[in-house]
Amino acid sequence: MSKPIVAVPADTCFFRETTWHAAQQQYVGAALDVAGAMSFIIPALGAAQDIDAMLDRVDGVMITGSRSNVAPALYGKTEEERDGPFDPGRDATTLPMIRRAIERGMPLLCICRGIQELNVALGGTLVSEVHELEGRIDHRQPPEGDRDALFVIRQPVRVKEGTCLADILGPGEVKVNSLHRQAIGDVAPGLAVEAIAPDGTVEAVSVISAKNFAVGVQWHPEYWAKTDETSRRLFAAFGDAVRAYARPKDRVGAATQ
Ligand SMILES: N[C@@H](CCC(=O)NCCCC(=O)O)C(=O)O
């Protein structure tokens, strides 16, 4: 059986005087090395693309983190300067892809911005500048250091009993990294909260009606997926789901050879 393939929606980036559609090495590398899945990076071109035609050709969807934020208008909020930076092309691609992947029963892993997109896609809201909210801790990346320092494993989160995540990680406390200014506000109907930070910030959710693995995490399991057991287990579970989803299609392929 060839390695399964996951769709990875790109960020819109601008460098060398032009626009690129890109995904970071840490995500596609963890998908290949730990989940055992190849990545098709999907341009952030929104409705101009046939989402179903793309999903027909993959075995799962991984929504990555990004420094950009979901447009506030998508969750009924008036836009403020502090809500940016934005990536409307990514929003226009990820939100319909998330909804369609769930409807089709495809494995779905949403990371950091990805959990925020999952929540908005299903009707929830976000809060900005979490660290300024009463009783909340600072979830932003550490103020300095190299990339390893920014993604250091440092924050406790509690995985709730009886959840999808508890089946993968075990219930109780795990340590994660944290690099986000926004967080889930109103949890979307159809999402179950699976893990929370000590200040009550939602750190993981799952799709209640999902016919497959459909999990969002606010932290970054991709970064230490090879060496951190909590991170590794999450990516391994995603890979198992993607391979199981691919198997029937692989048999069809073999049958027609
Ligand atoms: N922009 C959102 C989501 C944060 C996120 O995905 N961070 C990852 C970026 C880290 C990096 O790649 O440098 C928020 O701030 O909440």
Side-chain angles (χ1 to χ4, degrees), residues 24 26-27 64-70 111-114 116 141 147 150-151 179-183 218 220:
Q24 292 176 18
Q26 63 199 60
Y27 300 97
T64 70
S66 173
R67 292 192 177 183
S68 68
N69 294 325
V70 179
I111 295 170
C112 204
R113 192 193 203 265
Q116 298 168 4
Q141 67 185 40
R147 200 143 176 93
L150 300 185
F151 285 83
L179 299 92
H180 60 104
R181 297 167 37 214
Q182 297 197 331
Q218 187 63 75
H220 287 267

PDB file of all heavy atoms in Angstrom, residues 24 26-27 64-70 111-114 116 141 147 150-151 179-183 218 220, ligand 1:
ATOM      1  N   GLN A  24       4.458  25.038   6.166  1.00  0.00           N
ATOM      2  CA  GLN A  24       5.760  24.954   6.812  1.00  0.00           C
ATOM      3  C   GLN A  24       6.240  23.507   6.906  1.00  0.00           C
ATOM      4  O   GLN A  24       5.445  22.580   7.089  1.00  0.00           O
ATOM      5  CB  GLN A  24       5.700  25.553   8.217  1.00  0.00           C
ATOM      6  CG  GLN A  24       5.488  27.051   8.233  1.00  0.00           C
ATOM      7  CD  GLN A  24       5.352  27.571   9.646  1.00  0.00           C
ATOM      8  OE1 GLN A  24       5.726  26.917  10.620  1.00  0.00           O
ATOM      9  NE2 GLN A  24       4.802  28.765   9.775  1.00  0.00           N
ATOM     10  N   GLN A  26       7.611  21.993   9.347  1.00  0.00           N
ATOM     11  CA  GLN A  26       7.322  21.255  10.593  1.00  0.00           C
ATOM     12  C   GLN A  26       6.027  20.463  10.492  1.00  0.00           C
ATOM     13  O   GLN A  26       5.900  19.398  11.111  1.00  0.00           O
ATOM     14  CB  GLN A  26       7.289  22.208  11.781  1.00  0.00           C
ATOM     15  CG  GLN A  26       6.219  23.262  11.756  1.00  0.00           C
ATOM     16  CD  GLN A  26       6.511  24.426  12.695  1.00  0.00           C
ATOM     17  OE1 GLN A  26       7.518  25.094  12.551  1.00  0.00           O
ATOM     18  NE2 GLN A  26       5.626  24.670  13.654  1.00  0.00           N
ATOM     19  N   TYR A  27       5.052  20.952   9.712  1.00  0.00           N
ATOM     20  CA  TYR A  27       3.772  20.245   9.585  1.00  0.00           C
ATOM     21  C   TYR A  27       3.877  19.084   8.594  1.00  0.00           C
ATOM     22  O   TYR A  27       3.517  17.944   8.917  1.00  0.00           O
ATOM     23  CB  TYR A  27       2.668  21.210   9.140  1.00  0.00           C
ATOM     24  CG  TYR A  27       2.438  22.348  10.107  1.00  0.00           C
ATOM     25  CD1 TYR A  27       3.024  23.602   9.894  1.00  0.00           C
ATOM     26  CD2 TYR A  27       1.679  22.166  11.249  1.00  0.00           C
ATOM     27  CE1 TYR A  27       2.833  24.642  10.791  1.00  0.00           C
ATOM     28  CE2 TYR A  27       1.487  23.206  12.154  1.00  0.00           C
ATOM     29  CZ  TYR A  27       2.070  24.439  11.918  1.00  0.00           C
ATOM     30  OH  TYR A  27       1.897  25.467  12.808  1.00  0.00           O
ATOM     31  N   THR A  64      -3.095  23.554   9.418  1.00  0.00           N
ATOM     32  CA  THR A  64      -1.909  23.924  10.190  1.00  0.00           C
ATOM     33  C   THR A  64      -2.111  25.205  10.986  1.00  0.00           C
ATOM     34  O   THR A  64      -3.114  25.905  10.854  1.00  0.00           O
ATOM     35  CB  THR A  64      -0.717  24.177   9.230  1.00  0.00           C
ATOM     36  OG1 THR A  64      -0.988  25.401   8.512  1.00  0.00           O
ATOM     37  CG2 THR A  64      -0.524  23.021   8.278  1.00  0.00           C
ATOM     38  N   GLY A  65      -1.126  25.508  11.805  1.00  0.00           N
ATOM     39  CA  GLY A  65      -1.095  26.800  12.476  1.00  0.00           C
ATOM     40  C   GLY A  65      -0.637  27.880  11.518  1.00  0.00           C
ATOM     41  O   GLY A  65      -0.174  27.610  10.414  1.00  0.00           O
ATOM     42  N   SER A  66      -0.803  29.131  11.976  1.00  0.00           N
ATOM     43  CA  SER A  66      -0.343  30.269  11.187  1.00  0.00           C
ATOM     44  C   SER A  66      -0.401  31.519  12.063  1.00  0.00           C
ATOM     45  O   SER A  66      -1.238  31.606  12.963  1.00  0.00           O
ATOM     46  CB  SER A  66      -1.224  30.500   9.955  1.00  0.00           C
ATOM     47  OG  SER A  66      -0.851  31.715   9.310  1.00  0.00           O
ATOM     48  N   ARG A  67       0.465  32.473  11.785  1.00  0.00           N
ATOM     49  CA  ARG A  67       0.439  33.717  12.555  1.00  0.00           C
ATOM     50  C   ARG A  67      -0.768  34.562  12.189  1.00  0.00           C
ATOM     51  O   ARG A  67      -1.138  35.478  12.914  1.00  0.00           O
ATOM     52  CB  ARG A  67       1.730  34.494  12.327  1.00  0.00           C
ATOM     53  CG  ARG A  67       2.907  33.767  12.945  1.00  0.00           C
ATOM     54  CD  ARG A  67       4.164  34.589  13.027  1.00  0.00           C
ATOM     55  NE  ARG A  67       5.212  33.811  13.704  1.00  0.00           N
ATOM     56  CZ  ARG A  67       6.409  34.289  13.969  1.00  0.00           C
ATOM     57  NH1 ARG A  67       6.703  35.531  13.616  1.00  0.00           N
ATOM     58  NH2 ARG A  67       7.309  33.538  14.576  1.00  0.00           N
ATOM     59  N   SER A  68      -1.368  34.303  11.036  1.00  0.00           N
ATOM     60  CA  SER A  68      -2.553  35.095  10.677  1.00  0.00           C
ATOM     61  C   SER A  68      -3.744  34.616  11.494  1.00  0.00           C
ATOM     62  O   SER A  68      -3.749  33.529  12.078  1.00  0.00           O
ATOM     63  CB  SER A  68      -2.842  34.939   9.186  1.00  0.00           C
ATOM     64  OG  SER A  68      -3.259  33.609   8.919  1.00  0.00           O
ATOM     65  N   ASN A  69      -4.784  35.473  11.521  1.00  0.00           N
ATOM     66  CA  ASN A  69      -5.994  35.168  12.292  1.00  0.00           C
ATOM     67  C   ASN A  69      -7.201  35.063  11.382  1.00  0.00           C
ATOM     68  O   ASN A  69      -7.253  35.657  10.304  1.00  0.00           O
ATOM     69  CB  ASN A  69      -6.239  36.266  13.331  1.00  0.00           C
ATOM     70  CG  ASN A  69      -5.160  36.290  14.384  1.00  0.00           C
ATOM     71  OD1 ASN A  69      -4.643  35.237  14.773  1.00  0.00           O
ATOM     72  ND2 ASN A  69      -4.787  37.474  14.839  1.00  0.00           N
ATOM     73  N   VAL A  70      -8.199  34.301  11.800  1.00  0.00           N
ATOM     74  CA  VAL A  70      -9.457  34.174  11.062  1.00  0.00           C
ATOM     75  C   VAL A  70     -10.153  35.548  11.040  1.00  0.00           C
ATOM     76  O   VAL A  70     -10.186  36.259  12.063  1.00  0.00           O
ATOM     77  CB  VAL A  70     -10.364  33.135  11.712  1.00  0.00           C
ATOM     78  CG1 VAL A  70     -11.691  33.019  10.958  1.00  0.00           C
ATOM     79  CG2 VAL A  70      -9.677  31.772  11.794  1.00  0.00           C
ATOM     80  N   ILE A 111      -4.703  22.219  13.851  1.00  0.00           N
ATOM     81  CA  ILE A 111      -3.650  22.626  14.785  1.00  0.00           C
ATOM     82  C   ILE A 111      -3.620  24.150  14.934  1.00  0.00           C
ATOM     83  O   ILE A 111      -3.523  24.861  13.930  1.00  0.00           O
ATOM     84  CB  ILE A 111      -2.280  22.137  14.282  1.00  0.00           C
ATOM     85  CG1 ILE A 111      -2.232  20.605  14.279  1.00  0.00           C
ATOM     86  CG2 ILE A 111      -1.144  22.717  15.112  1.00  0.00           C
ATOM     87  CD1 ILE A 111      -1.024  20.019  13.571  1.00  0.00           C
ATOM     88  N   CYS A 112      -3.722  24.616  16.149  1.00  0.00           N
ATOM     89  CA  CYS A 112      -3.595  26.030  16.523  1.00  0.00           C
ATOM     90  C   CYS A 112      -4.566  26.922  15.753  1.00  0.00           C
ATOM     91  O   CYS A 112      -5.752  26.917  16.093  1.00  0.00           O
ATOM     92  CB  CYS A 112      -2.143  26.485  16.409  1.00  0.00           C
ATOM     93  SG  CYS A 112      -1.817  27.893  17.472  1.00  0.00           S
ATOM     94  N   ARG A 113      -4.120  27.638  14.712  1.00  0.00           N
ATOM     95  CA  ARG A 113      -5.122  28.360  13.920  1.00  0.00           C
ATOM     96  C   ARG A 113      -6.188  27.390  13.412  1.00  0.00           C
ATOM     97  O   ARG A 113      -7.350  27.765  13.256  1.00  0.00           O
ATOM     98  CB  ARG A 113      -4.460  29.088  12.742  1.00  0.00           C
ATOM     99  CG  ARG A 113      -5.372  30.095  12.036  1.00  0.00           C
ATOM    100  CD  ARG A 113      -4.800  30.533  10.727  1.00  0.00           C
ATOM    101  NE  ARG A 113      -5.257  31.798  10.201  1.00  0.00           N
ATOM    102  CZ  ARG A 113      -6.245  31.982   9.331  1.00  0.00           C
ATOM    103  NH1 ARG A 113      -6.972  30.952   8.953  1.00  0.00           N
ATOM    104  NH2 ARG A 113      -6.547  33.186   8.862  1.00  0.00           N
ATOM    105  N   GLY A 114      -5.770  26.179  13.180  1.00  0.00           N
ATOM    106  CA  GLY A 114      -6.687  25.158  12.677  1.00  0.00           C
ATOM    107  C   GLY A 114      -7.844  24.869  13.602  1.00  0.00           C
ATOM    108  O   GLY A 114      -8.993  24.731  13.144  1.00  0.00           O
ATOM    109  N   GLN A 116      -9.085  26.978  15.660  1.00  0.00           N
ATOM    110  CA  GLN A 116      -9.888  28.197  15.600  1.00  0.00           C
ATOM    111  C   GLN A 116     -10.743  28.203  14.331  1.00  0.00           C
ATOM    112  O   GLN A 116     -11.929  28.564  14.357  1.00  0.00           O
ATOM    113  CB  GLN A 116      -8.973  29.423  15.661  1.00  0.00           C
ATOM    114  CG  GLN A 116      -8.196  29.485  16.971  1.00  0.00           C
ATOM    115  CD  GLN A 116      -7.072  30.503  16.985  1.00  0.00           C
ATOM    116  OE1 GLN A 116      -6.876  31.267  16.031  1.00  0.00           O
ATOM    117  NE2 GLN A 116      -6.312  30.517  18.055  1.00  0.00           N
ATOM    118  N   GLN A 141       3.606  32.991  22.362  1.00  0.00           N
ATOM    119  CA  GLN A 141       4.923  32.359  22.306  1.00  0.00           C
ATOM    120  C   GLN A 141       5.888  33.081  23.230  1.00  0.00           C
ATOM    121  O   GLN A 141       5.725  34.278  23.485  1.00  0.00           O
ATOM    122  CB  GLN A 141       5.456  32.377  20.872  1.00  0.00           C
ATOM    123  CG  GLN A 141       5.788  33.755  20.321  1.00  0.00           C
ATOM    124  CD  GLN A 141       6.191  33.682  18.858  1.00  0.00           C
ATOM    125  OE1 GLN A 141       5.613  32.941  18.060  1.00  0.00           O
ATOM    126  NE2 GLN A 141       7.199  34.454  18.484  1.00  0.00           N
ATOM    127  N   ARG A 147      13.812  28.936  17.303  1.00  0.00           N
ATOM    128  CA  ARG A 147      12.490  28.314  17.064  1.00  0.00           C
ATOM    129  C   ARG A 147      12.198  27.217  18.092  1.00  0.00           C
ATOM    130  O   ARG A 147      11.058  27.094  18.566  1.00  0.00           O
ATOM    131  CB  ARG A 147      12.433  27.767  15.644  1.00  0.00           C
ATOM    132  CG  ARG A 147      10.998  27.548  15.159  1.00  0.00           C
ATOM    133  CD  ARG A 147      10.833  27.886  13.706  1.00  0.00           C
ATOM    134  NE  ARG A 147       9.486  27.585  13.233  1.00  0.00           N
ATOM    135  CZ  ARG A 147       8.476  28.451  13.210  1.00  0.00           C
ATOM    136  NH1 ARG A 147       8.654  29.683  13.659  1.00  0.00           N
ATOM    137  NH2 ARG A 147       7.281  28.116  12.768  1.00  0.00           N
ATOM    138  N   LEU A 150      10.813  28.846  21.072  1.00  0.00           N
ATOM    139  CA  LEU A 150       9.437  29.333  20.900  1.00  0.00           C
ATOM    140  C   LEU A 150       8.426  28.199  21.071  1.00  0.00           C
ATOM    141  O   LEU A 150       7.333  28.383  21.595  1.00  0.00           O
ATOM    142  CB  LEU A 150       9.275  29.968  19.519  1.00  0.00           C
ATOM    143  CG  LEU A 150      10.155  31.174  19.178  1.00  0.00           C
ATOM    144  CD1 LEU A 150       9.754  31.745  17.811  1.00  0.00           C
ATOM    145  CD2 LEU A 150      10.094  32.234  20.262  1.00  0.00           C
ATOM    146  N   PHE A 151       8.820  27.000  20.637  1.00  0.00           N
ATOM    147  CA  PHE A 151       7.898  25.847  20.661  1.00  0.00           C
ATOM    148  C   PHE A 151       8.154  24.929  21.856  1.00  0.00           C
ATOM    149  O   PHE A 151       7.696  23.778  21.861  1.00  0.00           O
ATOM    150  CB  PHE A 151       8.003  25.065  19.351  1.00  0.00           C
ATOM    151  CG  PHE A 151       7.336  25.730  18.183  1.00  0.00           C
ATOM    152  CD1 PHE A 151       7.979  26.720  17.467  1.00  0.00           C
ATOM    153  CD2 PHE A 151       6.035  25.386  17.818  1.00  0.00           C
ATOM    154  CE1 PHE A 151       7.362  27.354  16.399  1.00  0.00           C
ATOM    155  CE2 PHE A 151       5.405  25.997  16.750  1.00  0.00           C
ATOM    156  CZ  PHE A 151       6.069  26.998  16.043  1.00  0.00           C
ATOM    157  N   LEU A 179       1.560  28.934  21.530  1.00  0.00           N
ATOM    158  CA  LEU A 179       1.984  30.085  20.719  1.00  0.00           C
ATOM    159  C   LEU A 179       0.751  30.721  20.074  1.00  0.00           C
ATOM    160  O   LEU A 179       0.565  30.690  18.856  1.00  0.00           O
ATOM    161  CB  LEU A 179       2.939  29.642  19.605  1.00  0.00           C
ATOM    162  CG  LEU A 179       4.253  28.988  19.950  1.00  0.00           C
ATOM    163  CD1 LEU A 179       4.138  27.464  20.000  1.00  0.00           C
ATOM    164  CD2 LEU A 179       5.316  29.386  18.945  1.00  0.00           C
ATOM    165  N   HIS A 180      -0.143  31.248  20.892  1.00  0.00           N
ATOM    166  CA  HIS A 180      -1.349  31.828  20.310  1.00  0.00           C
ATOM    167  C   HIS A 180      -1.839  33.018  21.108  1.00  0.00           C
ATOM    168  O   HIS A 180      -1.703  33.065  22.324  1.00  0.00           O
ATOM    169  CB  HIS A 180      -2.461  30.777  20.194  1.00  0.00           C
ATOM    170  CG  HIS A 180      -2.899  30.155  21.490  1.00  0.00           C
ATOM    171  ND1 HIS A 180      -4.075  30.486  22.122  1.00  0.00           N
ATOM    172  CD2 HIS A 180      -2.311  29.231  22.295  1.00  0.00           C
ATOM    173  CE1 HIS A 180      -4.201  29.776  23.227  1.00  0.00           C
ATOM    174  NE2 HIS A 180      -3.146  29.007  23.362  1.00  0.00           N
ATOM    175  N   ARG A 181      -2.401  33.993  20.372  1.00  0.00           N
ATOM    176  CA  ARG A 181      -2.970  35.219  20.965  1.00  0.00           C
ATOM    177  C   ARG A 181      -4.485  35.135  21.030  1.00  0.00           C
ATOM    178  O   ARG A 181      -5.125  35.855  21.783  1.00  0.00           O
ATOM    179  CB  ARG A 181      -2.597  36.441  20.111  1.00  0.00           C
ATOM    180  CG  ARG A 181      -1.145  36.762  20.006  1.00  0.00           C
ATOM    181  CD  ARG A 181      -0.890  37.781  18.892  1.00  0.00           C
ATOM    182  NE  ARG A 181      -1.926  38.788  18.768  1.00  0.00           N
ATOM    183  CZ  ARG A 181      -2.293  39.328  17.598  1.00  0.00           C
ATOM    184  NH1 ARG A 181      -1.715  38.941  16.472  1.00  0.00           N
ATOM    185  NH2 ARG A 181      -3.241  40.245  17.556  1.00  0.00           N
ATOM    186  N   GLN A 182      -5.048  34.277  20.145  1.00  0.00           N
ATOM    187  CA  GLN A 182      -6.500  34.108  20.118  1.00  0.00           C
ATOM    188  C   GLN A 182      -6.831  32.727  20.683  1.00  0.00           C
ATOM    189  O   GLN A 182      -5.959  31.876  20.870  1.00  0.00           O
ATOM    190  CB  GLN A 182      -7.022  34.235  18.684  1.00  0.00           C
ATOM    191  CG  GLN A 182      -6.773  35.620  18.090  1.00  0.00           C
ATOM    192  CD  GLN A 182      -7.624  35.880  16.876  1.00  0.00           C
ATOM    193  OE1 GLN A 182      -7.998  34.967  16.135  1.00  0.00           O
ATOM    194  NE2 GLN A 182      -7.970  37.141  16.659  1.00  0.00           N
ATOM    195  N   ALA A 183      -8.132  32.532  20.928  1.00  0.00           N
ATOM    196  CA  ALA A 183      -8.581  31.227  21.435  1.00  0.00           C
ATOM    197  C   ALA A 183     -10.075  31.096  21.149  1.00  0.00           C
ATOM    198  O   ALA A 183     -10.737  32.059  20.736  1.00  0.00           O
ATOM    199  CB  ALA A 183      -8.310  31.089  22.925  1.00  0.00           C
ATOM    200  N   GLN A 218      -5.107  23.321  20.298  1.00  0.00           N
ATOM    201  CA  GLN A 218      -4.601  24.698  20.256  1.00  0.00           C
ATOM    202  C   GLN A 218      -3.070  24.723  20.295  1.00  0.00           C
ATOM    203  O   GLN A 218      -2.458  25.754  19.989  1.00  0.00           O
ATOM    204  CB  GLN A 218      -5.206  25.481  21.447  1.00  0.00           C
ATOM    205  CG  GLN A 218      -4.893  26.967  21.443  1.00  0.00           C
ATOM    206  CD  GLN A 218      -5.479  27.666  20.224  1.00  0.00           C
ATOM    207  OE1 GLN A 218      -6.686  27.902  20.130  1.00  0.00           O
ATOM    208  NE2 GLN A 218      -4.614  28.026  19.260  1.00  0.00           N
ATOM    209  N   HIS A 220       0.914  22.801  19.453  1.00  0.00           N
ATOM    210  CA  HIS A 220       1.634  22.418  18.229  1.00  0.00           C
ATOM    211  C   HIS A 220       2.282  21.048  18.384  1.00  0.00           C
ATOM    212  O   HIS A 220       3.490  20.945  18.629  1.00  0.00           O
ATOM    213  CB  HIS A 220       2.688  23.465  17.890  1.00  0.00           C
ATOM    214  CG  HIS A 220       2.107  24.718  17.360  1.00  0.00           C
ATOM    215  ND1 HIS A 220       1.939  24.953  16.019  1.00  0.00           N
ATOM    216  CD2 HIS A 220       1.588  25.780  18.006  1.00  0.00           C
ATOM    217  CE1 HIS A 220       1.370  26.132  15.846  1.00  0.00           C
ATOM    218  NE2 HIS A 220       1.135  26.649  17.030  1.00  0.00           N
TER     219      HIS A 220
HETATM  220  N1  LIG B   1      -2.844  33.285  14.785  1.00  0.00           N
HETATM  221  C1  LIG B   1      -3.567  32.518  15.773  1.00  0.00           C
HETATM  222  C2  LIG B   1      -3.126  31.075  15.731  1.00  0.00           C
HETATM  223  C3  LIG B   1      -1.722  30.931  16.257  1.00  0.00           C
HETATM  224  C4  LIG B   1      -0.883  29.940  15.506  1.00  0.00           C
HETATM  225  O1  LIG B   1      -1.324  29.147  14.689  1.00  0.00           O
HETATM  226  N2  LIG B   1       0.396  30.045  15.807  1.00  0.00           N
HETATM  227  C5  LIG B   1       1.379  29.349  15.059  1.00  0.00           C
HETATM  228  C6  LIG B   1       2.341  30.335  14.541  1.00  0.00           C
HETATM  229  C7  LIG B   1       3.705  30.037  15.045  1.00  0.00           C
HETATM  230  C8  LIG B   1       4.681  30.117  13.900  1.00  0.00           C
HETATM  231  O2  LIG B   1       4.501  29.370  12.924  1.00  0.00           O
HETATM  232  O3  LIG B   1       5.593  30.951  13.985  1.00  0.00           O
HETATM  233  C9  LIG B   1      -3.381  33.078  17.181  1.00  0.00           C
HETATM  234  O4  LIG B   1      -2.452  33.885  17.370  1.00  0.00           O
HETATM  235  O5  LIG B   1      -4.135  32.676  18.059  1.00  0.00           O
END
